[in-house]
Amino acid sequence: MSRWMDGVLEGVDPRSELELLREALTEALSAGEDAARFWTALAGLDPIAAADLATGAKATAAAAASALVILDALEQVLPGSRLYHRLADLMPARAVEWVALAARRHPTARWVVPLSQRHDPVPGRTHLLVAAEVGRLAEACALWVSAGEGRGLLAVSGELPSLEPTLALIRGGAPKAAARCAAALLDAQPGAQVLPTLAALYGPDLDDLTLRIVGHLTRAEAREALATTVSGLPRTRAAL
Amino acid sequence: MTSPPTPLLLGRPGPWPFAGYFRGQLVHPEGLRVAWAGRVSDGADLTVAWRATLAMQQALSRKGPIDADRRRALSILWARLDGVHREGLGPAQGADLSLLLLAEDPDGIAVSAVGLRQLLGPREGALSPWVRGAHPLLGAPGIPVARPGALTSEEAPAVLVGIGDEVDAPRSVGEGLLMCGVWP
């Protein structure tokens, strides 16, 4: 292992010797060497040069992948939107992984939305699943409602399952989309007690919303379970 | 959405603006229609609040549509509350009830209420006070011990918006409807 890969960069001027550093890094990575100490030393010496080497115009996928050990430093010198888009461009096969990483570190950042829109097979899904894991689902849902993109909200409603996407859509003035999400939740979890929460947010004309929900239910178990809870909603009861 | 005349109650400020809110109507084949908008169970768990609304709806709907003149119909609605189980109305057991009742027949409307600070009606696209000052329709919340009085009017506004909190009145009818949970 070279001294540089060992993290010894004394006397190096990273910006003027960037191509030398790139060559050394490429050679080391080709040989299967660990570049963690190199990256740590370089980020300490010149984080902008490190960012250029890791994600700049001449960066390679291998270099970018090995530089994740200095992600904190990269985020200090690059906007998150640019950094994660670049990671996904350099390593398209792992694009969803970068969306998840961005979402985990920045679950409520607005720029995660276009990142997910571009790289997530179902826009929003990965962001929202990760946001749920870190306890920021409500805020993340609000971002997607603002963006006017509901596919991820619908997906995670049943997948988690969670009522948060439904609530975010109601708050955003999109009751039709909210009804689809609530139905997805109820299909996934028949018998989930959603009416008290929906009523508290949607308002006293809940029959309008629940009637729409019924129209989107696909499972008989969900319809049967809902039927036991709609005594105060005459039109919904009739529809069930 | 608001086939006239419709009583509404402005939502509370906060994350759950309509917890404990209920609205309903009964139409008699002879033409008398009664409608209400209310709220109860302030500050309760959402499930408790939901159950309280069901209890209120059940009480007001008990025995179905009313065959009476509009003033008498309101007395009957108030009487229906005598049978409601207070324990099911949340932590305050109904002492926090706000309720706006309206009865309509071909001659006009009658209105009665508890727990309102303001009562607004539409005027030239805006919501303006429908009653002013220390009017009997405005007063303390709670299931009334004595039957509240009723105001009759030959004019029937499309909506009457009750406000139970110390909040600014909505500026326009459209904004007011949204704040009452009436979706476009």
Side-chain angles (χ1 to χ4, degrees), chain A residues 18 31 86 110 237:
Chain A
L18 199 60
R86 183 67 179 140
R110 194 166 289 279
R237 200 165 77 175

Side-chain angles (χ1 to χ4, degrees), chain B residues 77-139:
Chain B
L77 278 179
W78 286 121
R80 288 180 175 183
L81 294 186
D82 293 342
V84 72
H85 293 290
R86 309 276 177 112
E87 298 77 17
L89 298 183
Q93 300 191 357
D96 55 0
L97 174 72
S98 293
L99 183 58
L100 173 59
L101 301 180
L102 183 150
E104 177 200 18
D105 66 17
D107 298 325
I109 62 170
V111 179
S112 186
V114 293
L116 299 187
R117 291 176 185 271
Q118 298 180 63
L119 184 60
L120 311 177
R123 185 180 300 159
E124 296 171 357
L127 286 170
S128 308
W130 200 64
V131 295
R132 292 179 184 276
H135 195 279
L137 281 175
L138 308 179

Side-chain angles (χ1 to χ4, degrees), chain B residues 44-64:
Chain B
D45 163 271
L46 297 184
T47 302
V48 171
W50 168 249
R51 289 190 185 133
T53 67
L54 295 180
M56 288 300 299
Q57 291 288 75
Q58 197 171 22
L60 289 164
S61 304
R62 188 164 52 97
K63 298 185 180 174

Side-chain angles (χ1 to χ4, degrees), chain A residues 80-157:
Chain A
S81 54
R82 191 167 139 204
L83 172 61
Y84 289 94
H85 272 294
R86 183 67 179 140
L87 289 174
D89 286 342
L90 285 166
M91 295 170 275
R94 296 172 66 187
V96 174
E97 203 178 310
W98 309 130
V99 174
L101 183 62
R104 190 169 301 282
R105 293 171 68 89
H106 309 279
T108 61
R110 194 166 289 279
W111 55 261
V112 177
V113 170
L115 179 74
S116 172
Q117 279 177 319
R118 185 163 152 198
H119 298 291
D120 207 342
V122 178
R125 178 179 170 273
T126 300
H127 175 203
L128 293 167
L129 290 176
V130 172
E133 283 177 28
V134 299
R136 308 299 293 272
L137 180 60
E139 298 103 309
C141 286
L143 291 177
W144 285 94
V145 172
S146 295
E149 169 57 74
R151 284 173 286 180
L153 294 165
L154 182 60
V156 303
S157 291

Side-chain angles (χ1 to χ4, degrees), chain A residues 45-68:
Chain A
L45 190 61
D46 188 340
I48 293 175
D52 191 1
L53 195 58
T55 64
K58 294 183 181 175
T60 62
S66 70
L68 290 178

Side-chain angles (χ1 to χ4, degrees), chain A residues 8-213:
Chain A
V8 181
L9 296 177
E10 287 166 10
V12 174
D13 177 3
R15 297 196 192 190
S16 63
E17 297 177 60
L18 199 60
E19 292 313 311
L20 288 175
L21 289 168
R22 192 186 314 281
E23 280 174 27
L25 177 65
T26 304
E27 199 172 306
L29 293 175
S30 301
E33 290 180 22
D34 179 10
R37 277 173 291 185
F38 164 77
W39 281 118
T40 304
L42 184 59
L45 190 61
D46 188 340
I48 293 175
D52 191 1
L53 195 58
T55 64
K58 294 183 181 175
T60 62
S66 70
L68 290 178
V69 292
I70 56 159
L71 195 54
D72 285 337
L74 295 178
E75 286 189 349
Q76 292 292 317
V77 295
L78 290 174
S81 54
R82 191 167 139 204
L83 172 61
Y84 289 94
H85 272 294
R86 183 67 179 140
L87 289 174
D89 286 342
L90 285 166
M91 295 170 275
R94 296 172 66 187
V96 174
E97 203 178 310
W98 309 130
V99 174
L101 183 62
R104 190 169 301 282
R105 293 171 68 89
H106 309 279
T108 61
R110 194 166 289 279
W111 55 261
V112 177
V113 170
L115 179 74
S116 172
Q117 279 177 319
R118 185 163 152 198
H119 298 291
D120 207 342
V122 178
R125 178 179 170 273
T126 300
H127 175 203
L128 293 167
L129 290 176
V130 172
E133 283 177 28
V134 299
R136 308 299 293 272
L137 180 60
E139 298 103 309
C141 286
L143 291 177
W144 285 94
V145 172
S146 295
E149 169 57 74
R151 284 173 286 180
L153 294 165
L154 182 60
V156 303
S157 291
E159 205 167 332
L160 285 169
S162 170
L163 192 58
E164 287 296 348
T166 302
L167 299 178
L169 285 161
I170 293 172
R171 289 189 189 104
K176 290 179 184 173
R180 279 194 293 276
C181 287
L185 162 63
L186 291 170
D187 273 337
Q189 194 177 59
Q193 297 301 304
V194 300
L195 298 186
T197 310
L198 291 179
L201 186 63
Y202 183 82
D205 288 339
L206 192 63
D207 220 4
D208 293 342
L209 182 67
T210 50
L211 202 56
R212 281 191 178 135
I213 293 172

